[in-house]
Amino acid sequence: MASKYSIAMLAVAGLALASVSGCAGPYRDLDEDSLSEREVPDSLPEYALEDFDHDTTRWVGEYKEDQLWLSEGTATRSVCLLVYPDDENWIAGCGGLQLGLGRGAGAEYLVLPDDTDPPSDATAISSNVYVLGD
């Protein structure tokens, strides 16, 4: 038999899950029209974007030599970012509601949902994508 405590915990967990289920998250960048008609480079290998929802992938900006594309992920409640300076040095990754992606030395990119305060040393690239360091 479940105690009142465990029932209350299940109810709280159910409310939390209900409030975050559904799309990848509240990302203005994915809700608004793309800033550009830039296509993801054809030169990327097929596996590079295998976790990206291609219907939602859009160019969101650039930082130095890096071109940035954001997408909902194919996994439930995930968001993906492609950082593309050239055919050899690109990186792509997907994660939960927040995502950090970097190549080691240099810039680190953050994807944050709407109404999330970025770190004080972050520079906005778009509504949801920020860069740290470099």
Side-chain angles (χ1 to χ4, degrees):
M1 176 175 211
S3 70
K4 287 196 293 185
Y5 176 75
S6 61
I7 292 172
M9 291 302 291
L10 286 172
V12 169
L15 285 173
L17 286 174
S19 68
V20 295
S21 63
C23 69
Y27 302 99
R28 247 172 270 145
D29 286 340
L30 296 176
D31 291 337
E32 297 173 350
D33 290 335
S34 179
L35 299 174
S36 168
E37 295 299 318
R38 290 187 198 194
E39 298 286 327
V40 172
D42 290 335
S43 57
L44 282 173
E46 231 177 89
Y47 68 85
L49 305 177
E50 66 186 0
D51 295 326
F52 284 56
D53 176 346
H54 299 285
D55 292 335
T56 64
T57 301
R58 62 194 59 209
W59 185 83
V60 293
E62 59 189 295
Y63 179 76
K64 296 188 177 180
E65 75 280 355
D66 295 338
Q67 300 295 312
L68 305 166
W69 281 268
L70 187 67
S71 174
E72 287 187 23
T74 56
T76 303
R77 295 181 11 83
S78 64
V79 66
C80 301
L81 183 66
L82 167 64
V83 178
Y84 181 88
D86 58 52
D87 287 345
E88 295 177 12
N89 297 302
W90 59 270
I91 54 172
C94 299
L97 286 174
Q98 296 185 14
L99 173 66
L101 193 60
R103 288 189 294 269
E108 178 183 354
Y109 294 95
L110 298 175
V111 178
L112 301 175
D114 297 345
D115 302 324
T116 300
D117 292 329
S120 61
D121 58 340
T123 301
I125 302 300
S126 67
S127 296
N128 300 108
V129 179
Y130 299 86
V131 64
L132 290 173
D134 199 35

